[in-house]
């Protein structure tokens, strides 16, 4: 017969965390690579959800199952689904992920500017007991801002400063001549909701700041192209009853996608590792 301590130890025996990615682009493949190196025994990538499963994808781990419809989550016995495929993927895969996994990690947080979609996902999570997790993304960790928001916050601002090429292919190209900039140039100022809705690939991170602080409509965001830098920079300021906070992040660009930062992938690795760790850091 097991002793009480032995019974507790047996009940806590962990199986590998069963993980599915939505999308297998620059971020997901980088996270998969790092997890394979760091957590080969505690994390198992069992599937990747895509809309075109017949297309060849580089770097897929051997034995990974490609699925092409949300219904295929059923039966995979998933612990976590990580979305890393862009804003439309949240609406396509989110509800099913919450019904068939313990947690749904949303990287494309610009989807939360759609209040109806956010309301639906929150309702499903409440119904099923699953959780919606927002990674810290390019900001590494905003625990200080989230803690500060326990008391009233008066103001939160976030400047997103990137090299001009990181803004190519976005609305920024219609507002400034990215190829001819010679100095730091601000081309957008507005709320986090407006920034993320208009620049979903580059300003997802503004939603993370907003959710950590005073919300999508009160958080002020400035978008800047600066030919004098090579990293993606985030400058966050807040003040309120807690005092005053200033944070600055200078992130290396993801080699395969300059619109994203290496830190975006690293934050997902940390989130997954904390889900299986005994010591949470």
């Amino acid at each position: 017969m097991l002793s009480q301590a032995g019974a507790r130890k047996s009940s806590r025996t962990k199986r590998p965390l069963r993980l599915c990615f939505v999308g297998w682009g620059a971020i997901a493949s980088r996270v998969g690579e790092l997890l394979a190196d760091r957590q080969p025994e505690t994390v198992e990538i069992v599937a990747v959800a895509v809309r075109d499963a017949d297309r060849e994808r580089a770097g897929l781990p051997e034995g990974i199952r490609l699925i092409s419809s949300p219904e295929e989550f059923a039966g995979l016995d998933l612990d976590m689904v990580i979305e890393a495929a862009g804003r439309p993927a949240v609406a396509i895969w989110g509800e099913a992920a919450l019904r068939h996994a313990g947690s749904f990690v949303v990287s494309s947080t610009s989807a939360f500017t759609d209040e109806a979609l956010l309301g639906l996902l929150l309702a499903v999570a409440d119904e099923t007991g699953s959780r919606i997790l927002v990674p810290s993304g390019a900001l590494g960790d905003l625990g200080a801002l989230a803690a500060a928001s326990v008391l009233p916050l008066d103001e939160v601002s976030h400047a997103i400063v990137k090299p001009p090429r990181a803004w190519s292919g976005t609305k920024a190209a219609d507002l400034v001549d990215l190829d001819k900039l010679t100095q730091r140039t601000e081309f957008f100022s507005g709320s986090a909701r407006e920034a993320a809705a208009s620049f979903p690939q580059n300003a997802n991170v503004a939603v993370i700041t907003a959710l950590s602080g005073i919300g999508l409509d009160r958080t002020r965001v400035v978008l800047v192209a600066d030919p004098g830098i090579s990293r993606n920079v985030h400058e966050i300021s807040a003040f309120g009853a807690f005092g005053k906070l200033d944070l600055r992040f200078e992130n290396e660009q993801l080699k395969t996608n300059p619109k994203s930062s290496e830190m975006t992938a690293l934050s997902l690795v940390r989130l997954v590792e904390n889900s299986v760790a005994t010591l949470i850091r």
Side-chain angles (χ1 to χ4, degrees):
M1 186 173 182
L2 283 175
S3 66
Q4 186 176 16
R8 285 199 301 269
K9 182 177 180 180
S10 175
S11 67
R12 292 174 182 172
T13 300
K14 296 179 181 178
R15 68 169 190 177
L17 182 140
R18 292 176 62 82
L19 175 63
C20 174
F21 285 98
V22 175
W24 191 255
I27 293 174
S29 59
R30 179 62 170 148
V31 175
E33 173 191 9
L34 290 168
L35 289 175
D37 288 342
R38 294 168 57 88
Q39 302 290 339
E41 296 181 357
T42 57
V43 177
E44 180 182 4
I45 303 174
V46 298
V48 172
V50 294
R51 297 306 302 271
D52 49 353
D54 295 332
R55 183 168 67 82
E56 287 286 331
R57 284 174 169 80
L60 274 175
E62 187 175 351
I64 294 297
R65 177 176 172 180
L66 287 176
I67 63 175
S68 56
S69 69
E71 292 76 16
E72 293 180 83
F73 282 144
L76 292 180
D77 193 21
L78 296 171
D79 297 304
M80 179 180 290
V81 174
I82 296 179
E83 174 277 316
R87 177 175 174 172
V90 179
I92 294 169
W93 300 92
E95 181 176 353
L98 289 167
R99 294 192 182 280
H100 296 290
S103 57
F104 178 46
V105 181
V106 180
S107 299
S108 302
T109 48
S110 61
F112 292 158
T113 61
D114 182 339
E115 293 185 356
L117 174 60
L118 178 58
L120 171 64
L121 295 178
L122 289 172
V124 173
D126 186 58
E127 173 193 341
T128 61
S130 186
R131 297 191 302 160
I132 302 169
L133 304 182
V134 178
S136 54
L139 303 179
D141 190 2
L142 279 184
L145 179 59
S149 71
V150 172
L151 297 178
L153 286 172
D154 297 315
E155 183 177 312
V156 178
S157 63
H158 184 167
I160 302 175
V161 189
K162 298 185 180 185
R165 77 185 189 104
W167 297 106
S168 63
T170 75
K171 290 183 179 180
D174 299 327
L175 301 173
V176 293
D177 190 336
L178 295 170
D179 294 327
K180 295 182 179 180
L181 290 182
T182 58
Q183 60 186 0
R184 175 175 167 137
T185 301
E186 176 185 317
F187 60 85
F188 172 90
S189 178
S191 69
R193 185 186 301 279
E194 293 166 337
S198 297
F199 299 86
Q201 289 182 295
N202 295 72
N204 265 312
V205 69
V207 176
I208 300 171
T209 304
L211 294 178
S212 298
I214 56 175
L216 288 164
D217 297 309
R218 291 182 60 200
T219 303
R220 308 311 300 170
V221 175
V222 175
L223 304 182
V224 181
D226 187 346
I229 62 173
S230 60
R231 297 186 175 118
N232 295 336
V233 178
H234 298 274
E235 300 165 341
I236 299 168
S237 296
F239 67 88
F242 79 98
K244 189 175 188 298
L245 173 152
D246 287 294
L247 298 172
R248 179 182 172 89
F249 302 88
E250 294 188 19
N251 296 327
E252 294 291 348
Q253 297 175 350
L254 200 61
K255 291 180 181 178
T256 51
N257 181 5
K259 290 181 173 62
S260 294
S261 300
E262 182 81 86
M263 184 61 75
T264 301
L266 299 179
S267 73
L268 287 169
V269 173
R270 177 174 181 259
L271 185 153
V272 173
E273 290 186 341
N274 274 343
S275 297
V276 298
T278 302
L279 177 64
I280 307 301
R281 53 185 177 81

